[in-house]
Structures are given as structure tokens and as C-alpha cells.
Amino acid sequence: MLRHALVVCGAWVAGVALQLQQAALADPVLYAAVALVALIGLWLVPRLRTWVQVMCLVLAMGALGWASTGLRAGYFARSALSPALEGRDIQVVGVVSDLPRRTPAGLRFRFALDSANLDGRPIELPPLMDLAWYSGPAPTVQGSWELQTQPADLRAGQRWAFTVRVKAPNGSRNPHGFDYELWLWDQGVQATGYVRSTARDPPPRLLGDSAAYPLARLRQQVRERIDARLGADAVAVGAPDPDRDPAVAGLLAALVVGDQAAIERGDWEAFRATGLAHLVSISGLHITMFAWAAVALVGWLWRRSERLCLWFPAPKAALLLGVALASAYAAFSGWGIPAQRTCAMLLVFGLVRWLGLRWPWLMVWSIAAALVVALDPWGLLQAGFWLSFWAVAVLFASDGVRPPVRSGEGPQWRRMLRQLRALAHEQCLLTLALAPLTLFIFGQVSLVGLVANLFAVPWVTWVLTPLAIVGVVLPPLWDAAAVAGQLFLAGARALAAWPGAALAMPLAPWWLLVPALVGAVAVVLPWRPALRLAGIPLVACIALWQPPRPPPGEFTLLAADIGQGNAVLVQTARHALLYDSGPRYGLDSDAGNRVLVPLLQALGVRLDRLVLSHRDSDHTGGAAAVLRVLHPELVLSSVDAAEPLARLAPLARCEAGQRWEWDGVQFTVLHPRVADYPAMGARPAKPNTLSCVLRISNGRSSVLLTGDIERAQEAALLREPEALPADVLLVPHHGSKTSSSEAFIDAVSPRWALVQSGYRNRYGHPATPVVERYRLRDIALVDSPHCGAMHWRSTQPEALACERELAARYWQHRLP
């Protein structure tokens, strides 16, 4: 029985995993035919010999997993947004389906579509969209700005009619980066956009409240009650404790209704550095704790009634109602993917116990995993899936390793010490066993995580979360929860502030993960000492791995996909330079913290030099995060010393003629000249005219990075045309009409012209006439919306690799 269960579940999961590697969906007829053959194979299994049975089971279940996932994906892909509708003003009617989230720029919310019209004709749009409703100015297609109006109150369940502009989900594609398009796909979202509410648009109309999404409405009410009692406004007007940290309201909202966006970014960084992030999301720990408490409470109450016990056994009633209440809590907290996964596991474990079966833990664990994958195949690509199932497996496998806890012996204080010893032992096992997987997924391990979790797990599980949940019924308990939450926040922030609280390491390849996990198991399980010692180097191999670097005399270029802006990483054998730091996306987000810092840490880059070409925010928006985390030794820039950016780090002025050499590769600044800088007290120059132009060459291959120079600066560079030829050109000013003159393109004569621009950006970059100039000269023009991050090596100057092609998957947006 165990062998067959493992075979069936393992083959199913493997078949689903194989389908998730497809770059494009196959024909639905092929999926249907494979599914039919697999079902016939399963029907034949009982009629076959034993060894043939196993083989047939593996093939049939693997094929069924592959085909069923493909059919589901194909059905969902049919409702994708038509490219012809992108950027059009469309009148829609629908319902706000989830909690609206307020940001510094306005509101973000999910919108369930009822109907859509374009120019008076009904059209088809995806049924679920992710929309923004901006406050203040909003961009237009022509590049200007218009003032938006916004409702004072947007609530889940409201039916609205308004005008929207939508586009297909398009996220950045970088090595080891977050797959935004997969995240939206897994949540059923196939369009993003924003509400048009300027004076030239039909005014948005609230059509009334609908009966749809009652849980979302209730969750919003609870969140507002928490904010009213504990939020910043409550503290300002005189809450019971005026010294209370308003951030605690966001923490309680995350624990009660699953609104993780309510937690401030700085606190998220502290939780990640201390290994406590799993405690502040509605994860398996919270739902399992809730289920355990519900089973215990229902069982205790049920046993108080003799009539109920005669009608239905108390253990089964407690189990049934406990799982049901835990599922209700998961639904109330937003029914996120981790919550769904935990409920599926509880269902399997509860069913086994209900039926009185004595299945081995490995069998129950594998069935739960297969069920979770069947419910959400794309959850297989989420870090939470692997972390939670690996943690459960380690706890089951080490069940005999824990020190015995004899609750009935000795005085109370001695029994409590034994319980704490067992908890500490279990936390040590989990920390060691999860370390390789954490390094592989996140490239970071918390050095204070063991200490932090030893105190935080019982505090959050048995004090903070129960007070927060019961506070929904008894609001005064939220004041006690706020005190517990402030202690938790203070502890997390203090530990995160320690030097070296978290250790960032390069992300290792997948083939190092398996031996590292085997080594971790060998270390934590009570095997012979020789075997446990042998596990240490297996774990160390994933921690000590370093990505390959260029050989001496060669260099590589990585143009990151950061939207509308510039950020180019250049590496030699022992050095690294970052040219520009990308844009600022909003008041609380920029390319530095969202893309560049995680990317450079994942690649194991120690940054020697940061070049900020000029002061425009699409080139310096991520500089603060890069400087704070990566600490480059030198910053070259044309930014004036009086600018706020100069307060982040000492800036050395870039000037034509500056040269240095790293590992046989020459770096030369070609612009601006000293005379181009305005004199003291003179009118400031236009930032674009002072862009630092950098040429990189090893004598065989070369790159020219140009910032936002315009035609006048291009003409100045043409005075020394021998310095301009390059294999790769970072197209000036993202392909603006003001740059890329014919004479400049001819002088550089690149093989590759790279444009870093945003998808459907409001500037229209790269401009059509500019694209045509490069095309007429047979120069390959590559932009980031089509390519993602762009990889180039001096050892192969004729080749350029696109991240969207290197790791193509069928859910990713494909531009024509």
C-alpha cells in the first residue's frame, strides 16, 4: 500500500512539474488524447503483473498530471486580454472583489467584471483584473499628466461603472527574479490597468452594493475596526496608549484578515533578516494552531453534554468541527495559496484519523502533497510549498529524535522546562533542516533566526495571534494584542539591527540542492556519528558555491529589466561596476530594493563602483538601496554636490579622460568634459547634457554606455570618432527622438543596440523613427519589454541572450 501510494503521488507531482516547464502550451487535442490514454492505462493496472503494474501506474499518473494541468492552463488562457484592447478607453461594470489597498499613489483593488463596452459595442475582457485608481496626477498616453478624482471610500462588494485602460500582465524578467506574471496567473488575473477619472472621462458611478463577496466585505470591516482602534489616526486623536506604534495595526490586520500589505516595508525587511516572515503571514502555522485549539475547545464543550456524546462521538465531532473552523478562518483571512495548502493537508490528516487508519506518515504526507498540487498546480513553483512540506517531513521523520516529554512527572516548573527543551530541540532541527532550502530559494540565511524563532514562535502562536483573533468579538483584547505586537516588533527590529543578522549568498544551481538536503537530514537525524559528520560538507557545498566569473581580460554585461530606466551590470574577473540604478516606482518602492539588490546578491556580486550617469530619477531611483546594502567603494556621477543624492555617499565627479583598468579591461569616461559643468552660481545645466558616457573595452570587444545624451552631446563625441566604435551600444535616452543621430550611429556601428524601457511607457520609447534608423543599418535593436534582462559576453560578441527566452514559460506575456 505504501509503495503504491508513493508511486501514484510521486508520478502525479512529477507529471505536473514537467508540464510547468513548457515554454508554450500544446494543442488541447494532444492533452485530451494523453489524458484518455492515461485513464485507459489506469483501468488496465489491476489486470497486469506486479512489476508491470508499477510501471503502468508511474506512466499513467505522470501523463494524467501533465495532461490535466495542460488542459486547465489552456482553458484559462482562452480568456487572456486581446492585444488590440491594450491602452484603449473601455467602459466596464463590475464588482470590487477583494480588500482595496491604499498606497501613496492611490488605491489598488481586484475587479470582477460583469460587462465591458468599447465605443458602444460589447467586448470580451478577462473576468478578473488588477486595477489602480490614482489620486492626483496620472499619466496619459501622450506623455502629459491629468488630474484624477478618487472616491473617498471604496469597499469590497460595491458595483461600479467606470472607464479603464488595461494591458496584459507584464513583469520584469531577471535572473532569479520574482515572476510577477506567474503570481497573477495563479490568482486568476489576466489584465492590469487603471481607472480613468479625469475631467475628460465619464465620471465613475457607484451602482450600489452587491451580495457578492460577503467574506471580503466582512474582512474589510474588521480591518477598518483595527485601524480605527490602533492605527495612526487613532493614536493621533488619543488612543488608550498614545505612545503605541501605529505599525502594530498593520501587524494585527495581517494576522487576522491576511492583509499582509498593511505591514510596512521596513518591518518586512526586519522579519526576513530574522527569519520571522513566516509568522506574520497566514501560513500553515497559524491555521494548524487554530485547528488544534478548535479541536480542543469543541471536544471539551462536546463532552459536557451527555446527549451529544450519545448522538455522536466527541473525538469525531471535535475533529470535524475543528477542521471546519480552521477552514473558515483560512477563508476569512483571504484564502491565499498557503492557506489552501494547509487546509488540504489538514483534510487528509483528519480523514486518516477519522477512519482510524494507521498509515505511515510518509504515505499521508505524499497524499497531502498530491492533493495540494491537484488543487493548485502552479503552487508547485512557490517557495511556500517546498518549505512547508519539507518542514512537515522533517518533523515527522525526527519524531523519535525529540527528547521525551513526561507531562505527569515532577513539579510544574520541571514539566515546563521539559516542554521548553522539546520546543528548542524541535526549532533547532527545523532551522538546520530548512537552511539549504532557504539558501537555494532566497539566497539568504538568518544567523539570528534560531534565537528569534525560539522566542517568537510561542509568543506569536499562543499570545499575539489568539488575542488578535478573539479581539474580533471582544475588541478590548486588541489593546492587549497591540502590547504583545509592539514587543514582537521591537524584538524583531532589534535583532535585525545586529551586524550580520542575515547572511546573503549567491543562489546555487538546482543540482546542488539534493545533496545539501541529504546532508541536512543526515545532520539532524540520529544516525551514526560518521554519517552525521559526512552530511556537513554536503550542506556546505550549497553555502560555499560561487557563480563563474569572466576570465582575465574578458568582461560580461547584464542590462537588467527594470522598466523605464537604466541599470547595467559590468563584471570582470575580480571586479564589478553598476551603471545607473534604475527608476523610482513610487514613494515606497524603487528598482534598487525590488530588482537590483536581490539580483546582485543572487549573483554574488561585490560592487566596486557605481556610476550614476545623471540626476534624473529613472537613473538614480534605486541608488539609495544599492548604497545602503552593497556599499560600493566609489560613486562616479555628474550629480551636483548640492543635490539630495549627494548626501547618501561621497560622489566623485565623472569627467572625460578618466581611465582605469580592471583585470585587463579598460574603462574610459568620454563625457562630460570639465567645461560642460556649469560654473559656480551659474544656471544649472540640463541633466541629460551631463550624462556620464562610459566606454569599456578589452581591445577585442567593446561596449558604449551613453545615459541620456542628446544630439548635441553626440556631436561633441564625434570630434573623437576613433573612441566610439563598439559591439554593444546602450541606446541614448532609451531611444528618444532627441538622440541616436545618423552620424552617431554610423560612428559607433554596433552589432547590438540595447534599449532599456518600460512596457507601453508613456514616452513612446523607443521612437519609431529611431527604430527605423537602426533597422536600415542592419543593427539588431533589442528592448527590455521583448527581451527581459539582456546578457552579453566579450568572449562571444556576436551573441546576445534574452532572459525571456532563456527561461520561457507559457504563462509569460509574449509581445509580437
Side-chain angles (χ1 to χ4, degrees), residues 287 290-296 298 316-328 346:
I287 297 172
F290 191 92
W292 181 89
V295 168
V298 171
K316 289 191 173 183
L319 183 63
L320 179 65
L321 293 176
V323 172
L325 289 172
S327 300
L346 287 175

Side-chain angles (χ1 to χ4, degrees), residues 180-309:
Y180 173 70
E181 293 157 31
L182 172 63
W183 180 70
L184 288 179
W185 173 284
D186 200 23
Q187 298 185 58
V189 177
Q190 288 185 297
T192 64
Y194 62 96
V195 177
R196 297 283 301 164
S197 57
T198 68
R200 297 190 299 173
D201 297 301
R205 291 181 296 125
L206 174 60
L207 303 180
D209 291 325
S210 73
Y213 309 105
L215 273 179
R217 294 202 304 272
L218 181 59
R219 291 171 62 219
Q220 185 171 2
Q221 292 173 8
V222 171
R223 186 184 68 177
E224 290 171 349
R225 288 168 54 199
I226 293 174
D227 286 339
R229 191 173 189 93
L230 305 174
D233 293 340
V235 172
V237 299
D241 182 4
D243 297 324
R244 178 180 296 149
D245 186 352
V248 78
L251 176 63
L252 264 61
L255 292 173
V256 177
V257 300
D259 185 15
Q260 297 180 29
I263 296 177
E264 297 177 0
R265 192 183 76 185
D267 288 330
W268 271 121
E269 293 177 354
F271 297 149
R272 293 188 186 101
T274 53
L276 299 177
H278 65 103
L279 292 177
V280 293
S281 59
I282 303 299
S283 62
L285 179 65
H286 298 90
I287 297 172
T288 303
M289 178 274 295
F290 191 92
W292 181 89
V295 168
L297 180 61
V298 171
W300 182 81
L301 292 174
W302 201 273
R303 291 185 181 92
R304 305 280 75 78
S305 171
E306 182 179 351
R307 180 178 297 179
L308 288 176
C309 289

Side-chain angles (χ1 to χ4, degrees), residues 672-739:
R673 298 169 302 172
V674 174
D676 294 327
Y677 285 96
M680 184 72 67
R683 182 179 179 181
K686 184 179 179 181
N688 289 357
T689 66
L690 295 178
S691 292
C692 302
V693 177
L694 182 65
R695 188 174 190 268
I696 306 158
S697 176
N698 62 359
R700 298 175 299 279
S701 303
S702 56
V703 169
L704 190 64
L705 306 178
T706 59
D708 280 356
I709 61 171
E710 299 179 352
R711 287 176 179 264
Q713 291 74 52
E714 293 174 355
L717 290 171
L718 287 171
R719 296 170 189 160
E720 298 181 14
E722 67 280 358
L724 294 181
D727 296 279
V728 177
L729 169 66
L730 183 64
V731 173
H733 204 178
H734 320 285
S736 167
K737 295 178 182 179
T738 61
S739 305

Side-chain angles (χ1 to χ4, degrees), residues 755-773:
V755 178
Q756 289 185 295
S757 59
Y759 176 60
R760 297 188 62 84
N761 65 85
R762 66 179 182 268
Y763 308 105
H765 294 161
T768 303
V770 172
V771 173
E772 187 64 15
R773 285 177 212 151

Side-chain angles (χ1 to χ4, degrees), residues 413-481:
W413 65 270
R414 193 179 295 275
R415 293 199 299 271
M416 291 181 62
L417 283 179
R418 284 197 291 263
Q419 292 281 359
L420 290 174
R421 177 170 170 249
L423 176 64
H425 188 267
E426 186 174 276
Q427 190 61 51
C428 287
L429 289 178
L430 279 178
T431 300
L432 291 172
L434 288 174
L437 195 56
T438 304
L439 278 174
F440 175 77
I441 295 173
F442 302 113
Q444 177 177 293
V445 62
S446 175
L447 301 183
V448 298
L450 177 59
V451 175
N453 277 278
L454 280 176
F455 292 96
V457 167
W459 184 255
V460 173
T461 304
W462 302 114
V463 179
L464 176 56
T465 303
L467 286 172
I469 293 174
V470 179
V472 176
V473 181
L474 300 173
L477 289 181
W478 278 337
D479 296 326

